[in-house]
Amino acid sequence: MIPMYPEDETCPICRKACMDKDGEHAVHCKELSGFKYRHDWVWDVLWDILRRARISAKKEAPVNFFTDPMEGRSTLRPADLLVFSWGRGKHACVDLTGVSPLVGLRENGFVAGQAARKAESKKVDKHAKTCAENQHVFVPFFL
């Protein structure tokens, strides 16, 4: 926790968030190539496992029920993986999400795993109800 950056400096990678003096943002900026690489690598491994097990699935499958009723168009990205007949005949929308274990490290009361639990709660709140209403299962998968 050594001060490394001036307060309120813009991140040179994502140009969105303000850098904190301790450099926490620099460690887990989502625009760093490592996050995308890890997401895609796990995505490919899961796809390969499903394929080898002869489980029918589709990458980046469009799910038509993820739409905004006011606009009539899709507002959410497709499922990272759509696994057909996952359980009780329902398809599963699998969402892969990368979460840095260091998020919140400089805050008082840091608890290991809190960032993943918070991200899971947000994802479930955002997608689970819509999936259930359309006879699908939502499966969050954290990296």
Side-chain angles (χ1 to χ4, degrees):
M1 304 316 284
I2 300 170
M4 299 172 62
Y5 299 96
E7 287 286 333
D8 298 330
E9 186 173 319
T10 302
C11 174
I13 309 274
C14 69
R15 307 222 184 270
K16 297 176 192 168
C18 291
M19 298 291 284
D20 55 282
K21 66 180 174 49
D22 299 314
E24 180 183 343
H25 175 79
V27 175
H28 59 262
C29 177
K30 291 187 189 292
E31 296 297 320
L32 289 171
S33 60
F35 271 83
K36 179 71 173 144
Y37 172 79
R38 185 174 63 182
H39 174 277
D40 290 350
W41 184 78
V42 172
W43 187 38
D44 288 338
V45 168
L46 284 174
W47 170 254
D48 190 51
I49 290 169
L50 292 167
R51 185 180 57 81
R52 288 173 187 251
R54 301 193 190 282
I55 297 171
S56 183
K58 184 174 181 177
K59 283 184 174 181
E60 286 196 343
V63 284
N64 295 332
F65 51 83
F66 282 155
T67 59
D68 182 346
M70 300 297 284
E71 296 182 30
R73 65 177 178 82
S74 180
T75 57
L76 302 174
R77 292 183 303 203
D80 286 322
L81 287 170
L82 182 62
V83 182
F84 300 101
S85 299
W86 177 256
R88 298 184 187 180
K90 293 184 179 183
H91 305 323
C93 297
V94 180
D95 182 67
L96 278 68
T97 303
V99 179
S100 172
L102 300 176
V103 171
L105 184 60
R106 61 191 173 102
E107 297 173 7
N108 291 334
F110 174 78
V111 177
Q114 70 183 1
R117 284 190 294 278
K118 184 177 179 181
E120 179 183 19
S121 177
K122 281 183 172 181
K123 289 282 185 173
V124 168
D125 289 348
K126 185 175 180 180
H127 301 299
K129 182 180 177 191
T130 304
C131 284
E133 289 171 350
N134 289 278
Q135 306 306 313
H136 285 62
V137 177
F138 178 68
V139 180
F141 192 99
F142 292 92
L143 323 172

